Amino acid sequence: MGVLMSRRQTVERVQKVSLAVSAFKDGLREQPSTRRRAEAGTARQGTLEQEVQEGEEEALAGPSQPEESSASKAAWERLRDGRGVEPEEFDRANRFTPPAFIRPKRELHDDEPPDISLEQREQILNDEMCEICEVWTAESLFPCRICHRVYHDGCLRRMGYLQKDSAVEVTETAHTETGWSCYYCDNLNLLLTEEEMYSLMETLRNCKIIPESCLTLDDFLHYKHQVHKQQFERTMPEAQEEQAALQFNALDPDKKGHIEWQDFLSHESIQLLQKIRPQNALLRLLTPKERERARTAFLALDQDNDGFIGEAECRQARHSWFRKHQKEMLSCNVSISHVGPISEGSPASSRNGKSPEKILPATKQEETRSIDWPRFLRENVAYILAARPNSAALHLQPLA
């Protein structure tokens, strides 16, 4: 801060000297003086102009660089701390203090398989008081569809987490089967530990990714190529490039030609979790609400009630049950039978123009392959976590 202030003072000083030089020149033009005064004026002018020139060079070399680096530093700090871009239309005078996001830490037994029973159902209980103001007001509280927290819409507005468009969405979806994710669960980046976050930041820095910026398809593919080359020291195969293009389409459901920073960050966060942590560790991240929805999905697919489902049925769950619900489905009661095929406007169908049955034909080997409940959870846990954000983007495109 001291460096910025001193350079600001230098700029102000240069501006004052420039004004003095201009006034001095004007005075010389208006009042021609004697030779001695002219010589003195010339000497003084030379001194002032030299000082102005030196000051201007210092000013040009100084403020622009630190201001740019300061903005970049602030963006990297927001990325490190898990905070998004501050809302532009926000009344800071009536603002609550934002919560301190504390990144999780890995425990010794995280990699051991957790005991998640299929038969034993879990009782889902939400908090009784608002997470922000800790006041109970019954029906006006909005529950999170992922965790146990509840909120007042007014508290969310004062925190800056609820703007005009999102306020309508929360009101319409919070008490439906689709639900609404709170600001903790909406941000997949908060699942990363400090070590994992620093690893991701290092990758983004090496690939010249600017925080809080949108990415076009070319930007996204270039980034994927760089990451693959850094990791494997060879060029990314064409099949993986096609899969990356499909992922871009899934992250751009509105076909704007670019993906938002938060969607890109969520995608990279869940991919990093897949690479670094074993599936058992990911299973420990599931909340009781997510586990219950997974039970409902598995039991609906297990038509024989023998505790096994086929590979095709598992893929059906991956492509339909754990993907985002469309806005036109908000008022329906969601179940496996109601979800059905992917809609025509979804990322998977927009590129191929086919229904999921044509995209994902079941082979004989898949039909005979049986999947039990623990395996069903392990193979789908990443997609369950990826479905947390409120964004319509699909943050983890299932492999075709």
Side-chain angles (χ1 to χ4, degrees), residues 7-18:
R7 286 174 177 164
R8 191 178 296 114
Q9 290 171 355
T10 301
V11 174
E12 292 174 356
R13 180 185 172 196
V14 169
Q15 291 172 343
K16 290 178 181 178
V17 173
S18 298

Side-chain angles (χ1 to χ4, degrees), residues 241-307:
E241 182 177 353
E242 292 179 359
Q243 186 63 34
L246 284 173
Q247 180 62 71
F248 179 88
N249 290 337
L251 291 171
D252 181 25
D254 297 328
K255 307 306 174 189
K256 295 180 291 185
H258 66 267
I259 54 178
E260 301 295 333
W261 169 254
Q262 194 57 44
D263 290 324
F264 170 74
L265 186 59
S266 293
H267 164 68
E268 288 302 308
S269 298
I270 197 67
Q271 279 219 319
L272 183 62
L273 286 174
Q274 275 189 304
K275 292 177 183 177
I276 294 181
R277 299 195 201 179
Q279 290 175 327
N280 288 332
L282 295 182
L283 286 173
R284 295 184 180 275
L285 298 177
L286 296 179
T287 65
K289 291 182 180 180
E290 290 173 319
R291 293 194 294 266
E292 270 300 297
R293 279 194 289 269
R295 287 189 184 93
T296 303
F298 185 85
L299 292 173
L301 292 170
D302 183 15
Q303 300 292 332
D304 301 331
N305 295 324
D306 59 354

Side-chain angles (χ1 to χ4, degrees), residues 188-199:
L188 294 180
N189 186 251
L190 295 180
L191 296 175
L192 302 183
T193 63
E194 288 187 5
E195 295 79 10
E196 292 166 344
M197 188 61 230
Y198 279 116
S199 173

Side-chain angles (χ1 to χ4, degrees), residues 27-76:
L28 286 177
R29 292 194 201 97
E30 294 174 2
Q31 298 179 0
S33 59
T34 62
R35 180 180 178 183
R36 187 176 64 181
R37 290 179 60 188
E39 291 174 353
T42 304
R44 176 62 177 163
Q45 178 182 343
T47 305
L48 288 173
E49 287 181 340
Q50 184 179 2
E51 187 174 355
V52 169
Q53 185 178 2
E54 292 175 355
E56 286 177 342
E57 290 175 355
E58 182 181 351
L60 290 174
S64 60
Q65 248 179 344
E67 286 176 3
E68 183 180 355
S69 62
S70 176
S72 178
K73 182 180 178 182
W76 283 111

